[in-house]
């Protein structure tokens, strides 16, 4: 049953729209055009959310739109003009108005072929999913819902207005969007949509890495990221977008000697998200770096799995291998270097704590842990705690107590010394003056020696540091030393 042209009382709660929206509607209708609020903002009205970015669609051409809003908008831009879109700001709202589309993608190209259409229904049919294919005709606030978007929203279902193959041919990125909506809205994805995603998964390779990355980040930062990742893996899209995650589904050997790495990784992702802080805390959620590191932390396991004599399974150095694989994947998805480095570093450090519970650490080991984690320490705390998915309550509690203990040790050392910026007790200038050196590699080696001492023993008095430096200097073989500062001849 379609809810097309369903009249709604403008004063009902679900359709309380900003006066600016009605004003804009009156401008267009007064000039003999149609204007409707469309897509996400209409869906959000039903979900009780307010969207600061508003999308409209109209039968007016881009030229006609510009003529109508040029003096009205606070400012406007024509960057999307080739696609029929004019953007503007008005009273703090970000607005985009797009001419009705009858758009088709050339199946062999990444570029959409834009054809302007003449009817609102035709425009809605070209949209990705029924819940985004609803419009609110302005200024009358008449709901236009020819494809049952309201019904699907109430049923929490993700379906396409026409055949899903047609929708995904128009823009293969919509397959990623299906997974993102599953993660954001907790909707159940229709069987025919899943089937089309599975059949057409390879088409995602036609889409630029940047667009894919953007959807992936939204998915990971959503309320139910596990549902989104599961959909990508089950439909085979992950084979092209995140193959390292698909590969985590190691076939368990017949004795089930190790846990399912894939399900474990999804659980760690959920647990890490649950440990994010509020806006004022150390790791305000949603935090992409923490969540993505949680998802990727074990991607080095498939490549490092060994069956040991006696039936054990080992994954030696999977942390190092995982960090490399994570870096490679994030580069392919065109992430910025800072984000890549942060995620890879967390993956590399995620096993470090396990030595602590068994043997306890010296102060120097605690210092190294803090220094190696640097600004990522609060995320590393959360990742390490999330990495416990054992059903063995005693084991889980033992690890949790051990980590409490480590955090207490870090806090105690912080009281005594500034761990964030561990530097040698003597700077480069003092080293050169003491040893009579010019700037060069030997100064670097002396600096490194003092940094190791600082890590090992904590802060030293300058005179103790000086005597340690002289001892080190005396023990250096002649051949490795550069000449000291002699007068130039």
């Amino acid at each position: 049953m379609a809810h097309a042209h369903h009249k709604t009382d403008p004063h009902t709660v679900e359709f309380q729209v900003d006066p600016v929206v009605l004003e804009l509607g009156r401008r267009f209708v007064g000039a003999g055009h149609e204007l409707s609020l469309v897509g996400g903002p209409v869906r959000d009205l039903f979900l009780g959310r307010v969207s600061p970015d508003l999308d409209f669609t109209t039968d007016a051409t881009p030229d006609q739109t510009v003529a109508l809003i040029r003096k009205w908008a606070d400012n406007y831009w024509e960057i999307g003009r080739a696609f029929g879109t004019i953007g503007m700001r008005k009273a703090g709202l970000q607005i985009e108005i797009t001419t009705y589309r009858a758009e088709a993608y050339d199946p062999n190209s990444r570029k959409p072929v834009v054809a302007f259409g003449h009817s609102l229904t035709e425009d809605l049919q070209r949209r990705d999913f029924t819940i985004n294919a609803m419009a609110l005709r302005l200024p009358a606030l008449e709901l236009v819902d020819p494809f049952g978007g309201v019904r699907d929203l109430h049923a929490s279902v993700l379906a396409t207005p026409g055949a899903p193959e047609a929708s995904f041919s128009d823009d293969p990125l919509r397959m990623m969007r299906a997974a993102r909506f599953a993660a954001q809205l907790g909707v159940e994805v229709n069987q025919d949509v899943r089937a089309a995603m599975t059949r057409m998964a390879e088409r995602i390779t036609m889409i630029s890495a940047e667009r894919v990355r953007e959807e992936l980040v939204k998915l990971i930062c959503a309320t139910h990221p596990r549902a989104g990742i599961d959909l990508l893996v089950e439909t085979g899209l992950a084979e092209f977008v995140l193959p390292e995650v698909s590969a985590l589904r190691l076939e368990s050997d017949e004795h089930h000697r190790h846990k399912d790495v894939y399900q474990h990784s999804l659980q760690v992702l959920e647990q890490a998200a649950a440990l994010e802080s509020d806006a004022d805390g150390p790791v305000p959620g949603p935090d992409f770096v923490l969540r993505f590191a949680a998802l990727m932390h074990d991607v080095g396991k498939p490549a490092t799995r060994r069956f040991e004599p006696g039936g054990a399974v080992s994954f030696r150095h999977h942390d190092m291998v995982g960090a490399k694989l994570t870096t490679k994947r994030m580069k392919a998805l065109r992430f910025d270097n800072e984000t890549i480095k942060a995620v890879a570093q967390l993956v590399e450090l995620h096993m470090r704590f396990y030595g602590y519970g068994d043997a306890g650490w010296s102060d120097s080991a605690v210092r190294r842990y803090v220094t190696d984690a640097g600004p990522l320490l609060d995320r590393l705390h959360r990742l390490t705690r999330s990495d416990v998915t054992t059903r063995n309550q005693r084991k889980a509690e033992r690890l949790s107590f051990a980590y409490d203990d480590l955090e207490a040790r870090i806090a105690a050392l912080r009281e005594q010394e500034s761990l964030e910026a561990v530097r040698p007790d003597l700077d480069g200038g003092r080293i050169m003056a003491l040893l009579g050196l010019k700037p060069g590699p030997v100064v670097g080696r002396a600096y490194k020696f003092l940094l190791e001492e600082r890590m090992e023993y904590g802060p030293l008095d300058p005179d103790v540091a000086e005597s340690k430096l002289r001892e080190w200097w005396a023990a250096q073989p002649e051949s490795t030393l550069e000449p000291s500062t002699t007068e130039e001849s």
Side-chain angles (χ1 to χ4, degrees), residues 14 61 93 108 128 136 148 168 178 198 218 227 278 390 394 424 447 475:
E14 67 222 54
T61 63
L93 294 173
N108 304 311
D128 55 1
L136 209 52
F168 298 154
T198 308
K218 286 176 181 168
D278 56 21
T390 173
R394 278 183 48 209
Y447 187 90

Side-chain angles (χ1 to χ4, degrees), residues 23-24 29 31 55 88 127 132 168 216 233 245 255 260 274 279 301 346 372 415 444 447 458 478:
E23 195 186 322
L24 189 58
V29 170
D55 293 324
M88 70 204 73
R127 293 180 180 263
N132 296 329
F168 298 154
L216 183 65
V233 170
V245 172
H255 307 300
D260 180 334
K301 279 192 167 174
L346 285 173
D372 290 349
E415 288 292 303
Y447 187 90
E478 278 298 315

Side-chain angles (χ1 to χ4, degrees), residues 277-288:
S277 63
D278 56 21
D280 306 324
V283 183
D287 186 90
F288 175 78

